[in-house]
Amino acid sequence: MSRVVSGPPRPTGLPEPLASLDRTAVMGVLNVTPDSFSDGGRYLDAQQAIAHGIALAEAGADLVDVGGESTRPGATRVPPEQEIARVLPVVTALVDAGVVVSIDTMHAECAAVAVRAGATVVNDVSGGLADPTMHATVAALGVPYVAMHWRGHSAEMAELAHYDDVVAEVVGELSDRVAQARAAGVDSGGMGLDPGLGFAKDADHNWALLRHLDVLAAVGLPVLVGASRKRFLGSLLADDPAQPRPVAERDAATDAVSALAASHGVWAVRVHDVRGSRDAVRVAAAWTRGSERG
């Protein structure tokens, strides 16, 4: 008799290690870029990136999210051929090492190349808005797809952070992305949604979205939360309002968000410090179940 897997809702089509999890998954961040806000340049060299990806998996990442284009505020765009050159050797080597990989990209061409190299999830921060061929490409690839709430590229997103009701508008705009993906042939059962914390949102917008994760979950799709080391956490913890806590000192706050998000049933948290959030989601799972094991 097959075992019934409990735990938070998850996209269909995941590889077995992810499909059988009975808790929130931990997605480790691997930026193969020179300019990401947290670790820009540290893993631009392919061999360093590969070593870090393996280290993330060994620390407990259930999947490693490889990205070759920074999406920090003010970042400049990277052409797909440059992005592919950055990520392809890393994805290939990690897959060969047995690591479950997702590809963090807004380019359909990069998504296709990475999936052919063994990536099992496409994580698109633009939800298909940056590349009009993304949804059709994902439909043809037949892999799980995460659509994030997004209103514009990094250079302009601060100007787009205006809402009358941030929760309702983000949920409505993500629902539109889901409808467009379905129309292009994407299996909605294999989709996940990300509220896009920090993307065209100020601190209060982020906190409102976290407070109302249940409203996003009511769309009926698994939810991914990416709060790791973001500025709104640094601002919250600042001793001086003009000086947010440094990026490297935001992991405890990130772990707290991971625990709270997991207790609210999110499918995955996307983090830089894997070990802390792995512990956090395990605590949340035991708390929710009322026992060490389900």
Side-chain angles (χ1 to χ4, degrees):
M1 180 181 295
S2 61
R3 182 170 68 92
V4 176
V5 179
S6 60
R10 58 187 68 81
T12 58
L14 294 169
E16 176 56 26
L18 279 171
S20 61
L21 278 182
D22 62 354
R23 55 162 173 77
T24 293
V26 177
M27 175 186 282
V29 177
L30 178 52
N31 295 314
V32 192
T33 63
D35 55 348
S36 293
F37 82 94
S38 176
D39 50 14
R42 291 183 65 186
Y43 309 114
L44 185 58
D45 175 78
Q47 293 307 310
Q48 290 179 323
I50 293 162
H52 185 58
I54 291 171
L56 288 170
E58 291 175 343
D62 300 298
L63 71 166
V64 173
D65 195 38
V66 179
E69 178 179 11
S70 174
T71 53
R72 66 172 177 79
T76 56
R77 295 303 317 276
V78 172
E81 58 272 16
Q82 183 177 359
E83 184 183 16
I84 290 167
R86 289 175 178 177
V87 303
L88 182 57
V90 178
V91 171
T92 301
L94 291 179
V95 171
D96 288 346
V99 177
V100 180
V101 172
S102 57
I103 181 65
D104 172 11
T105 184
M106 293 183 280
H107 290 121
E109 182 182 353
C110 184
V113 168
V115 170
R116 287 196 291 268
T120 57
V121 176
V122 174
N123 182 21
D124 176 7
V125 302
S126 80
L129 290 174
D131 186 337
T133 67
M134 178 64 88
H135 291 158
T137 298
V138 170
L141 293 169
V143 296
Y145 174 64
V146 178
M148 194 190 80
H149 178 264
W150 185 87
R151 284 185 164 182
H153 291 290
S154 297
E156 60 183 344
M157 65 182 179
E159 303 168 6
L160 303 172
H162 301 287
Y163 304 87
D164 293 322
D165 182 333
V166 66
V167 175
E169 290 173 56
V170 166
V171 170
E173 289 168 30
L174 276 175
S175 296
D176 290 343
R177 301 288 79 72
V178 173
Q180 291 178 0
R182 285 173 172 160
V186 176
D187 176 9
S188 58
M191 288 188 67
L193 300 178
D194 179 341
L197 303 177
F199 287 79
K201 298 169 189 73
D202 64 24
D204 284 345
H205 296 146
N206 296 331
W207 290 118
L209 289 164
L210 287 170
R211 174 67 180 82
H212 296 286
L213 286 173
D214 58 319
V215 180
L216 179 56
V219 174
L221 297 177
V223 174
L224 181 148
V225 167
S228 185
R229 297 179 178 173
K230 289 191 174 178
R231 184 178 179 86
F232 77 105
L233 297 179
S235 298
L236 175 73
L237 303 174
D239 295 322
D240 177 352
Q243 294 291 330
R245 184 170 292 185
V247 170
E249 298 177 18
R250 301 174 189 174
D251 285 337
T254 300
D255 299 341
V257 173
S258 293
L260 290 165
S263 72
H264 283 75
V266 306
W267 162 57
V269 290
R270 184 179 183 274
V271 299
H272 299 84
D273 173 44
V274 165
R275 194 175 300 278
S277 280
R278 175 66 174 256
D279 290 349
V281 301
R282 291 173 68 185
V283 169
W287 185 298
T288 301
R289 291 191 300 255
S291 67
E292 183 175 332
R293 300 187 184 279

